[in-house]
Amino acid sequence: SIIAGFHYCITGSNGQYIVPDKEVGINDNDIYPFVGALAREYDFSYFSFPVQLERRYFLKEKKAMFLMAGFNLRLAPLNGSSSADMNVMKTTIAGNKKPFINFNLGYGYACLLKNLDIFKLGLSVNINPSYLAKGNFTLVTQSSYDYGSYTVKGSYIGISTSYIFTKAKKYIKK
């Protein structure tokens, strides 16, 4: 089977830093951990056009194993920025505005249900040789000014589930 589609994804950052409380102007003896607004910001979004080949191997009645391989054409044209709690940390991020390709592999099991729909459970691997986004950060405390850059590749290993509505039951006479 050939499977193609369109995805629009919104991503966010999950950043955290820990600096001594006196560095951010708090007169306490604890360490000040930041888990505020930066961890909840939507940084950028991207478009994805996946194309996959799927091969099914029927195991026994109403069950099958599947293998899949394919690629995604992606584009991440939008940018984002965030200021953290008390203006201690600032980040900026820019999506990869040039189209790029990443690769998918996966396998799993499919089961034909009583209503003739299909349920699938699988493991997916996405490998991105390019980058999804790049950014910079600055961390300003009372005694230092730190800065740097980071890259978001977007590669992942994930569990996938699918429920396929076949509508076959209404066309089959018993």
Side-chain angles (χ1 to χ4, degrees):
S1 298
I2 297 175
I3 302 167
F6 169 76
H7 298 157
Y8 175 70
C9 301
I10 299 173
T11 64
S13 46
N14 193 14
Q16 180 176 354
Y17 65 85
I18 299 174
V19 295
D21 55 354
K22 64 183 178 183
E23 292 293 323
V24 293
I26 299 173
N27 294 323
D28 198 353
N29 290 327
D30 295 328
I31 291 178
Y32 175 77
F34 171 71
V35 292
L38 184 63
R40 294 187 302 268
E41 293 283 332
Y42 294 113
D43 286 323
F44 65 99
S45 58
Y46 64 90
F47 300 98
S48 178
F49 304 92
V51 176
Q52 296 184 28
L53 295 175
E54 182 177 283
R55 174 76 169 117
R56 292 179 205 99
Y57 299 94
F58 294 96
L59 303 173
K60 53 185 171 179
E61 188 177 324
K62 299 183 181 183
K63 294 195 185 336
M65 182 180 84
F66 63 90
L67 299 171
M68 62 181 184
F71 65 92
N72 288 330
L73 177 64
R74 287 191 173 170
L75 177 69
L78 304 177
N79 301 330
S81 66
S82 175
S83 290
D85 225 7
M86 300 184 331
N87 292 321
V88 173
M89 186 170 190
K90 178 168 177 56
T91 63
T92 59
I93 191 163
N96 191 348
K97 292 176 178 37
K98 296 178 186 174
F100 59 96
I101 292 178
N102 62 12
F103 304 96
N104 301 304
L105 297 170
Y107 76 95
Y109 293 93
C111 180
L112 185 65
L113 304 174
K114 288 181 182 180
N115 64 359
L116 302 180
D117 288 346
I118 300 170
F119 178 75
K120 292 168 60 174
L121 179 65
L123 182 67
S124 299
V125 177
N126 180 283
I127 301 164
N128 190 0
S130 183
Y131 70 93
L132 192 56
K134 289 184 177 183
N136 297 304
F137 69 89
T138 56
L139 177 64
V140 182
T141 64
Q142 291 183 1
S143 66
S144 69
Y145 177 83
D146 299 303
Y147 62 92
S149 62
Y150 59 95
T151 301
V152 178
K153 295 285 276 184
S155 298
Y156 62 85
I157 297 174
I159 297 172
S160 63
T161 59
S162 300
Y163 188 93
I164 302 167
F165 298 96
T166 63
K167 296 185 181 180
K169 193 170 183 177
K170 80 178 198 180
Y171 295 109
I172 298 175
K173 295 180 182 178
K174 295 206 177 201

